[in-house]
Amino acid sequence: MDKRFWLGLKLIPVLDKKIKTITDSFESAERIWLADRNGLSKIDGIAINEVDEIITRRNNIDLERWWQRYKNIGINILTIFDDDYPPLLREITNPPTVLFFKGDLILNYSNAVAIVGSRLASIHGSIIAEELASELSKEGVTVVSGVARGIDGSAHKGAMRGQGGTIGVLGCSLDVIYPPENKKLYGEICKHGSLVSEYPITTKPLKWNFPARNRIISGLTKGVVIVEASEKSGALITADFALEQGREVCAVPGNPKNKLSKGPHKLLKSGAYLVEDAGDILDVLGLIGHSEKKKESSVEISLDEQRVLNFIDWELKHVDEITRELNVSSSDAAILLTILEIKGLIKQDIGKRYLRIH
Amino acid sequence: MLAKIESCSILGMEAFLVEVEVDISNGLPAFNIVGLPDAAIQESRERVRSGISNSEFEFPLKRITVNLAPADLRKEGPSFDLPVAVGILAATKQISRDMLSDYLFVGELSLTGEIRPVNGVLPMALRAKESKKKGFIVPKENASEAALIGGLKIIPASSLSEIVKFFSGEKEIEPITEDIKRLFMNNTVSDNINFCDIKGQEHAKRAIEVAAAGGHNLLMVGPPGSGKTMLARRMPSILPDMTFEEAIETTKIYSIAGMLPSKVALVTSRSFRAPHHTISTAGLVGGGQHPRPGEISLSHNGVLFLDEFPEFTKSALEVLRQPLEDGIVTISRASSTSTFPARFMLVAAMNPCRCGYLGDKIKECVCVPSSIRQYKSKISGPLLDRIDIQVEVPRLTKKELVGVSSGESSETIKERVQRARDRQQKNIGDSNLSCNAQMSPRLLKKYCKLSDSAQNFLENAIDKLGLSGRAYDKVLRISKTIADLGERDLIEVEHLAEAIQYRCSNNSNNYYNF
Ligand SMILES: Nc1ncnc2c1ncn2[C@@H]1O[C@H](COP(=O)(O)OP(=O)(O)O)[C@@H](O)[C@H]1O
Ligand SMILES: [Mg+2]
């Protein structure tokens, strides 16, 4: 019942801005919502000249209708006064008083890790993010990220493969799909975890929402892993929040010539943990006992396939380089590449270049 | 006095007979042409008047009425000059009338009475033969084109006075004949652009070979300077020879468009058209009040090369879809509907993004994801669906341009292509197809037989690589061509595996999914 009044407070911008102050003074949302002119003016944080505006706005809001609208979109409300509010998030200096969420909230909050990075990730970085997320999730760790293009998207995708699940934190409201191609990803995340936002519906992805969102990403987790980020990337803001909030910061190193390595390397130089695989993350965060390294997957490959695989190695190689260096015909190179692709050992990137992934 | 002369006019791809009636009566001097003539025909009055006078004949100062029948079909162009002039001479008894009705007449007159070439003589000659005429009086320059149709006396005419002498028996004009076999043999590609000019690019070259062998549409994606234009221009040097029927069809189109080069009777090599991206939709697919074939018809049986593909207007690209599917283009006008053949091989080239360097080894791409998506979206999905083969062409470094060897010559590649095409003609010719690219999904089932292991492999590939239904059809079509190149009937694993490579990377992290 009370949740409706919380929604009411979020719908009036003057109150939303001060929601922490006004509710900290032990006023219940219901009492604030129902207060008369006199009552309102006595609440800590509400200025006299704001009272009229609050009352006009309040009279224009049909709370029941709004409540139904949220229900119809499948949005639930969680407040800091609820028992199931994520415990780690509660500890940060300015936790969101109200969180909107979609999907299943029963996740392993005390075992969460954030994986974030550049929106313009390389295929290299995307593969690493996906792999780390998938392995963490298989160990029961919940992976948190920002539902953006690049690293974020890969982290969510990987995490869906395990029972740890994933949480996506948005810089807009839950009914706004951004970037637009993420429609499917939104749905999948809700199936394997939840989507979270502190914004009432119809809030656009405004630029200044993102730093605020980043504090939630790090706030939900024990530590943040940065995979590929340029020096100006928002992922570094998330890392800063993590430090402020006393969470661990981990980074995956990269090619020193690549500008997407600048971010992680900067963090590594100032003491972030170097991460090569999911085991490293589990160790740093003191999560579950380091699981044994998985046995090498046993796909059978022919001698020729092995030659191509060895040549491609972990660097992008163009199909013509394979033809020339291994002295095979271009049709033979094509045949071997398709077979290795189907066996899941290599992946194709833009420009007909291949990368070994296993 | 009344005279009747028979002539011809063009509608779409076909010629129809036109009776030119000339009536000369007493009255105020006048010269009228009726029977749905266009502006060019109205102008022909001036040319006919001067042509007759300047050939030392007398232009009658009487009332002259010319009727072009059937009156309900619109006629165009200057090709009625000659029949109108001959009609006037006949009506005034300045030409012997004995044998005029055995012949069909077309030609434009100059003011001096000389006869100039006109468009569409090849389909006209076909019509003349069908209508059982004995002969066809044509401008000298058009004579060999008309002579492709055997069994018809083709009289090359150079001036009005010569024609008069011919009918009076004062002058013999030797009918023109053409030895089609000889014309065909003459077909030597003496172009000095050759595939051996190209360094490296093994993958792209092989893709082009497969495309040429099966007639598959091809898209090349690569940064500026990667050699896309260079590769495309070498395409004609490896295309299989035209069959006689194909040559006649193509020649007909060029004849109608008035684009037969002088002294060329038969177009024997496949055309390669490369219109600039500023071309209008009408220029590309055909149009005009009296519909003319556009670039897609001029590339019939040949290659239509669209360089800088996304720069073409969206409307121009979208109208390509129907011809790509049907091999014909239909142009509707209030008065008539014309259909032109347009079975061409589309070769398109584009940069991977606006700045051009997405996926380049050295230069970094500066595009943001939304601009990459927007650039890519200029080519619609349905259009891409009709392009079987997509290759990414890398830019060679300076070092590679010096160090890497160039591969086979066009002649060597063409030999393989020709053999593969001959096999196709034998295999699928009974369905009236000339190459694998034309196989519909239904015919794919009929002609693409897979070995058991290939069948398993394909199912696995679809699953692991997430191939769509459209992609599945493409893979089958391409692998059939690869099997033909390898002179095999059954599609094997190796053919499928190679075919699967001729698609662009589908890496959703980079938002670049073709
Ligand atoms: N593989 C190659 N072999 C030889 N010359 C090349 C090659 N690639 C590029 N070039 C040179 O670069 C020039 C530019 O190529 P071009 O076909 O115009 O590139 P694009 O159309 O992809 O922009 C060519 O004219 C040629 O001189
Ligand atoms: Mg070019």
Side-chain angles (χ1 to χ4, degrees), chain B residues 139-161:
Chain B
K140 198 172 71 195
E141 281 89 341
N142 297 125
S144 49
E145 165 193 349
L148 291 174
I149 310 301
L152 188 66
K153 226 158 112 187
I154 302 297
I155 307 296
S158 52
S159 70
L160 189 57
S161 51

Side-chain angles (χ1 to χ4, degrees), chain B residues 223-230 305 307-308 349 351:
Chain B
S226 54
K228 303 181 294 294
T229 307
M230 192 182 183
F305 175 44
D307 207 354
E308 313 297 348
N351 294 341

Side-chain angles (χ1 to χ4, degrees), chain A residues 119-123 126-127 130 148-151 153-154 157 179-182 257-259 316 318-321 323-324 329-339 341-344 347-354, chain B residues 199-204 206 352 358-361 364-365 367-370 373 390-394 396 400 404 457 460-461 464-465 493-512:
Chain A
R119 289 182 297 151
L120 300 163
S122 73
I123 185 171
S126 306
I127 290 169
E130 193 171 328
R149 298 182 174 123
I151 297 296
S154 303
K157 264 185 238 158
E181 70 267 19
N182 268 357
K257 292 268 193 263
N258 189 336
K259 72 172 184 206
L316 284 169
H318 189 271
V319 47
D320 287 342
E321 291 177 81
T323 303
R324 271 174 241 148
S329 75
S330 77
S331 38
D332 284 344
I335 294 165
L336 292 166
L337 286 170
T338 303
I339 293 173
E341 216 180 339
I342 290 174
K343 289 184 177 168
K347 207 164 166 146
Q348 192 183 152
D349 194 17
I350 297 167
K352 207 73 198 171
R353 292 173 305 168
Y354 279 91
Chain B
K199 306 261 187 161
Q201 299 294 10
E202 293 83 358
H203 178 71
R206 170 71 179 171
L358 184 69
D360 192 55
K361 224 172 2 186
E364 209 162 320
C365 169
C367 297
V368 295
S370 60
R373 246 197 339 271
Q390 301 175 9
V391 279
E392 287 166 295
V393 184
L396 266 62
E400 284 170 320
V404 170
F457 180 83
N460 198 11
K464 293 275 164 51
L465 303 177
V493 171
E494 63 201 75
H495 306 134
L496 288 171
E498 187 184 343
I500 287 172
Q501 285 302 313
Y502 302 125
R503 72 192 204 287
C504 280
S505 61
N506 188 348
N507 181 351
S508 58
N509 288 310
N510 296 299
Y511 299 99
Y512 186 65

Side-chain angles (χ1 to χ4, degrees), chain A residues 122-126 128 132 151 225-230 250-269 273-277 314-315:
Chain A
S122 73
I123 185 171
H124 233 113
S126 306
I128 289 169
L132 288 176
I151 297 296
V225 183
I226 315 295
V227 186
E228 285 197 330
S230 65
C250 309
V252 178
N255 179 340
K257 292 268 193 263
N258 189 336
K259 72 172 184 206
L260 289 172
S261 308
K262 295 281 186 258
H265 287 188
K266 192 172 150 196
L267 295 171
L268 288 168
K269 282 182 196 161
Y273 290 99
L274 190 148
V275 163
E276 285 177 333
D277 57 27
W314 310 95
E315 286 287 329

Side-chain angles (χ1 to χ4, degrees), chain B residues 374-429:
Chain B
Q374 193 201 357
Y375 186 79
K376 188 198 87 181
S377 72
K378 289 189 176 182
I379 313 296
S380 74
L383 187 55
L384 280 176
D385 281 343
R386 289 168 174 79
I387 302 179
D388 280 352
I389 299 186
Q390 301 175 9
V391 279
E392 287 166 295
V393 184
R395 197 162 58 111
L396 266 62
T397 59
K398 284 205 186 76
K399 216 174 94 198
E400 284 170 320
L401 274 177
V402 180
V404 170
S405 71
S406 35
E408 296 169 312
S409 70
S410 295
E411 289 77 12
T412 319
I413 304 172
K414 182 178 167 172
E415 245 170 66
R416 285 197 298 269
V417 169
Q418 185 71 53
R419 267 203 306 273
R421 188 62 75 91
D422 291 344
R423 280 177 71 86
Q424 292 167 49
Q425 234 114 47
K426 251 185 272 148
N427 290 341
I428 61 177

